[in-house]
Amino acid sequence: EAQVTQNPRYLITVTGKKLTVTCSQNMNHEYMSWYRQDPGLGLRQIYYSMNVEVTDKGDVPEGYKVSRKEKRNFPLILESPSPNQTSLYFCASTPTSSGTLNGYTFGSGTRLTVV
Amino acid sequence: GDSVTQMEGPVTLSEEAFLTINCTYTATGYPSLFWYVQYPGEGLQLLLKATKADDKGSNKGFEATYRKETTSFHLEKGSVQVSDSAVYFCALPSNCSGDKLTFGTGTRLAVRP
């Protein structure tokens, strides 16, 4: 089944403790992206990657890192999480140059709470 | 820059009522337009799309028409069901960044039996 898989689904952590949210897709998509969803703000893009070893900042990149060493994986790293990063996170993918025509495939989301 | 404006929610309807969720956009040119749906506890799923002006996207009884004159892409359904309860997002590609999608703030729909 074609899908984007995120882990974990739920995570509660403490301020300053490094964490990684994994994202993997099995569709051979070039483009991958991370969004965060907050009430009243919709989805905002954190980082995106147009292919292996190519990443770039989205609208709200502060406090996050990403890497794209393999085509299928696009982990989101919070080096020192803070409470304002409590949010619902989504990974998404699409074939390059197709997102504007066909949209994205989304993962099921990771609900992160930083206390 | 490109942007999407959706009507504020929540929208509460009785089963079999008519649904309209408004979406207007600001964009350069005539991009594709999308509606996504997020059911409780799940990720976003593509509901329908329209790739050019005057196109009508449809799926699962939902429809939306791409109207360039009014820069709108309103979502409609003639008879909603309890199972349609979800959050609906309007989206369009950003002309600033390749495959980036810009989303509206989402509209929560609650359908009562």
Side-chain angles (χ1 to χ4, degrees):
Chain A
E1 180 189 354
Q3 60 187 359
V4 176
T5 303
Q6 289 179 234
N7 280 296
R9 289 293 307 273
Y10 301 92
L11 179 59
I12 301 174
T13 190
V14 296
T15 299
K17 185 176 181 181
K18 181 180 178 181
L19 66 91
T20 300
V21 183
T22 63
C23 173
S24 181
Q25 50 93 4
N26 62 0
M27 297 166 283
N28 203 37
H29 288 170
E30 292 84 9
Y31 185 94
M32 298 184 74
S33 182
W34 277 102
Y35 284 82
R36 61 178 288 174
Q37 182 181 4
D38 301 291
L41 297 176
L43 278 81
R44 295 178 292 168
Q45 190 181 54
I46 303 170
Y47 268 94
Y48 66 95
S49 169
M50 299 194 73
N51 215 324
V52 176
E53 301 293 0
V54 180
T55 63
D56 210 343
K57 296 177 180 179
D59 299 316
V60 288
E62 294 77 20
Y64 304 94
K65 286 175 55 177
V66 293
S67 68
R68 190 88 183 274
K69 295 184 172 61
E70 307 162 283
K71 199 172 190 178
R72 63 185 292 122
N73 295 323
F74 190 46
L76 180 69
I77 303 156
L78 285 73
E79 295 269 2
S80 183
S82 63
N84 65 10
Q85 292 177 297
T86 292
S87 187
L88 180 58
Y89 292 85
F90 287 102
C91 182
S93 73
T94 189
T96 296
S97 301
S98 179
T100 54
L101 281 178
N102 295 318
Y104 295 163
T105 301
F106 279 86
S108 299
T110 296
R111 184 166 293 281
L112 172 66
T113 302
V114 183
V115 298
Chain B
D2 298 347
S3 65
V4 177
T5 302
Q6 284 183 240
M7 63 186 287
E8 295 264 345
V11 174
T12 303
L13 295 173
S14 297
E15 209 164 21
E16 299 183 3
F18 184 86
L19 168 71
T20 300
I21 299 178
N22 291 339
C23 171
T24 57
Y25 66 90
T26 303
T28 303
Y30 302 107
S32 298
L33 298 172
F34 303 91
W35 276 102
Y36 278 82
V37 59
Q38 182 182 28
Y39 298 105
E42 298 184 13
L44 280 74
Q45 303 173 25
L46 181 64
L47 179 60
L48 55 83
K49 67 178 183 182
T51 56
K52 60 183 186 296
D54 299 324
D55 261 6
K56 177 185 285 188
S58 62
N59 186 25
K60 299 183 181 179
F62 291 89
E63 293 183 339
T65 301
Y66 189 154
R67 301 204 184 278
K68 64 179 181 180
E69 314 82 25
T70 53
T71 61
S72 65
F73 193 53
H74 303 323
L75 183 68
E76 297 181 335
K77 187 173 186 182
S79 176
V80 293
Q81 306 300 312
V82 172
S83 57
D84 294 326
S85 298
V87 181
Y88 293 83
F89 292 90
C90 188
L92 82 164
S94 167
N95 68 343
C96 298
S97 173
D99 291 287
K100 176 185 175 182
L101 287 182
T102 296
F103 289 85
T105 54
T107 303
R108 181 176 298 279
L109 170 66
V111 181
R112 298 184 302 242

